[in-house]
Amino acid sequence: MDKESLKSLLYSSALVADAAPDAVAEANTFCEGYKKFLDNGKTEREVCIYSEKLLKAAGYRPFTSGMQLQAGDKVYFINRKKCVLAATIGKKSLAEGFHLNIAHIDSPRLDLRPIPLYESNDMAFLRTHYYGGIRKYQWPTIPLSLHGVIYRADGSCVEVNIGEKDEDPVFCITDLLPHLGAKQSEKKLNEAITGENLNVLIASSPVADQELEQRVKLNVLQMLNEVYGITEKDFINAEIEVVPAFKARDIGLDRAMIGSYGHDDRVDAYPALMAEIDVKDPVYTTVCVLTDKEETGSDGVTGLNSMYTFHFLQQLCAAEGVDYITAFQASKCLSADVTAAYDPNYADAFELSNSTYAGRGIAVYKYTGSRGKSSTNDAPAEMVSYLTRLMDRNNIVWQIGELGKIDLGGGGTVAKYVANQDIDTIDIGVPVLAMHSPYEIVSKVDVYMAYRTFKAFCEDAE
Ligand code: MN
Ligand code: MN
């Protein structure tokens, strides 16, 4: 063999900048829309509202059970204000299967407890209970905002969003000064800040009447009552999420990356949604699902371990008079979730040749899970082969890997819940630096390659 033939025997992943230089400018344009999506959707409820606007503007109609559908029709359904389902009806019968793109729109955060408000030494705080896998020490001393809904005594709903507009106040969790922190500094990283420490400072001025007790707490309740018409009891009927008040910003002199709260997993959700919106007259029926509750294990009525997605698919089958088991068996799913980008700062956590890297395109994962591939959809080689050929045909820059060193930990995704329904499924996702932190970082070209992958899958006729 000559030198070139020998070289062609080797495989390694490449930078998008080298393998597809034209994609860099396209990625920058695509990511302007993504940054808006991030800033407008910091919670699953807000993502639903923003996505519904995009879907309606693109001509999607609300889906109702039994409605007659034709090839090219676009319909959507919002599950309990927390999950988005959108579909474009294909030219082939549903008996030939769906092409499903799935991502999640809940992110690690702090939720308010049922009885959150208390006063201590003339300061009022909100008690929180963390949601998903956070590193608790990362949450003090950053600006925070409050997002969510409160149901009043009469059943009416008030939406809360404080801390995002420039003129809004923000909130904060305090930390100890280093001068008094010697003992705290001796603790392990995961014990230095506890769940009970994650109390959000919300006010520090009292009501005027000095005869009263808890005057700062009463001041908070008075302000909330004036603006929202609520009392302390109404916190019981509320879902308020505490999230970082940062906006999505370009990172680096070259502006090649984006720093933001909530890339996990909006960085896959937005490309999946845009691919669904952009596909016209597909051969197979395409379905985009943006789900809730991934970060707590996918249980609950808005998690993928519930039937809501499969009920939607079953109802689409019923509208066409197709047996849904036949449809599921013929279907394919790209289950998207973020993965760890190799971090040279923490090189010890990774195995170089099976890591995924920021800037090398969309990452494919044959399996996730932990230890001996516990609790994973381990995609069959046939499915891996289908996907890699699809990506190569469409000049998509991709890489394959694992989360990190085998014995360090691991993690799961929603892929198994789809595969458990007899649907061929494979994991893909955008690599993230500082994943699950209040300020995660992704590479713009990877976001764009995620979009290109979802789009190619929506348009595939194989
Ligand atoms: Mn996550
Ligand atoms: Mn995730």
Side-chain angles (χ1 to χ4, degrees), residues 104 106-108 133 264-265 294-295 337-338 412 435-436 440:
H104 72 88
D106 61 317
S107 297
D264 179 3
D265 184 35
E294 192 281 335
E295 296 295 354
D337 205 344
V338 297
M435 196 174 124
H436 276 213
E440 304 173 308

Side-chain angles (χ1 to χ4, degrees), residues 5 13 28 67 88 93 124 188-189 198 205 228 263 271 282 288 369 379 407 426:
S5 307
S13 58
N28 291 341
M67 77 192 288
T88 307
S93 159
K188 287 186 188 167
L189 200 56
L198 296 178
S205 54
Y228 299 122
H263 281 311
C288 170
D407 292 333
I426 184 162

Side-chain angles (χ1 to χ4, degrees), residues 369-391:
S370 48
R371 300 177 305 281
K373 299 191 180 181
S374 172
S375 202
T376 180
N377 163 54
D378 192 348
E382 289 78 5
M383 188 62 190
V384 184
S385 166
Y386 163 79
L387 178 60
T388 56
R389 284 182 292 115
L390 173 77
M391 293 188 293

Side-chain angles (χ1 to χ4, degrees), residues 322-343:
V322 162
D323 170 39
Y324 74 83
I325 295 176
T326 309
F328 283 18
Q329 286 170 336
S331 294
K332 292 189 182 75
C333 173
L334 300 187
S335 172
D337 205 344
V338 297
T339 183
Y342 175 81
D343 189 339

Side-chain angles (χ1 to χ4, degrees), residues 7 27 31 38 41 90 104 109 117 177 188 207 210 240 264 296-297 313 321 327 395 432 449:
K7 273 190 186 167
C31 284
L38 284 167
H104 72 88
R109 61 177 188 249
L117 182 62
L177 60 167
K188 287 186 188 167
V207 291
Q210 295 188 32
I240 306 286
D264 179 3
T296 53
L313 301 180
N395 302 313
V432 178
M449 286 300 159

